[in-house]
Amino acid sequence: IAASLLIALGASLMIEKPQAPHYERFASSDQPRRLSFQDGSKIELNAHSQVHVAMNGRSRLVTLDRGEAFFDVHHDEHRPFEVRIGGYQVTDLGTKFVIRQDEDGITTAVLEGEVELGLADSTVRNAHLMKPGDWAVTRRGTTYAHSNDFAQVEALLGWRKGLVIFNHAPLAQAAREFNRYNDTKLVIADPAVAAIRIDCAFKTGNIVGFSRLMRDA
């Protein structure tokens, strides 16, 4: 009887012990990549981006390792969809949103629905609610939020249409953006020129046309 009880207890502990998430890696090359999942959610990876995805009956977890990704989430109140990046977490509340990681920090923008942006694994309720047209940049522990700015949200999503869109962006930022998609790299030697702000839209591969226009201007 004692032996049977020990076996039963051991089996119960084995069953109740939560399993560690099993992550699957997805990466893109120099072109965007589209991913579809059984729950109806979709992820679009920008060029040179990588995610790890773990989905089970209780949760849906994504880690954005590098680059940028657009999320079209099929909402399920019983299975939260969470994206983790650089110590932060974005929780879906039924939405379409984009997250980007680069040297300027972590950028989150909402196209539809709502998300919560906050620290990952934090016991303190510190999430920032974001709605359509909102975008935020997080750097060095501080979040700079912007509300009802659909023009900038559309600019951040331009890569989904093969475009780079700049709204009053420094020329240095534009050069870095073009360099993500092209083997030929733009270099700006003069810091004063790099700080010039521009408004324009170009095909991601039209680096020659962009550089000629900037030179003439």
Side-chain angles (χ1 to χ4, degrees), residues 26-128:
F26 300 93
S28 59
S29 57
D30 58 349
Q31 296 296 324
R33 179 183 178 184
R34 296 186 178 184
L35 310 172
S36 297
F37 300 90
Q38 291 184 347
D39 70 335
S41 297
K42 299 179 179 66
I43 300 176
E44 294 182 38
L45 298 178
N46 200 350
H48 305 293
S49 301
Q50 177 177 295
V51 294
H52 276 79
V53 180
M55 294 193 179
N56 55 43
R58 295 183 178 180
S59 63
R60 297 173 293 175
L61 303 175
V62 179
T63 300
L64 180 58
D65 302 311
R66 67 171 184 269
E68 184 173 15
F70 175 77
F71 300 88
D72 184 350
V73 179
H74 179 77
H75 186 63
D76 184 346
E77 61 182 8
H78 302 295
R79 286 202 306 160
F81 191 103
E82 299 173 347
V83 183
R84 298 188 176 187
I85 174 173
Y88 287 84
Q89 176 174 298
V90 176
T91 303
D92 155 65
L93 301 178
T95 188
K96 296 180 180 180
F97 60 100
V98 65
I99 304 176
R100 171 179 179 146
Q101 180 175 230
D102 55 26
E103 60 188 58
D104 293 328
I106 300 169
T107 302
T108 306
V110 180
L111 182 62
E112 294 180 11
E114 298 178 346
V115 302
E116 286 185 343
L117 171 64
L119 293 172
D121 299 322
S122 176
T123 58
V124 180
R125 183 67 178 178
N126 59 0
H128 173 67

Side-chain angles (χ1 to χ4, degrees), residues 178-179 182 184-186 203-212:
F178 269 103
N179 289 344
N182 297 277
T184 301
K185 306 301 181 184
L186 291 174
K203 290 287 187 180
T204 54
N206 192 9
I207 191 171
V208 174
F210 174 79
S211 60
R212 286 177 178 172

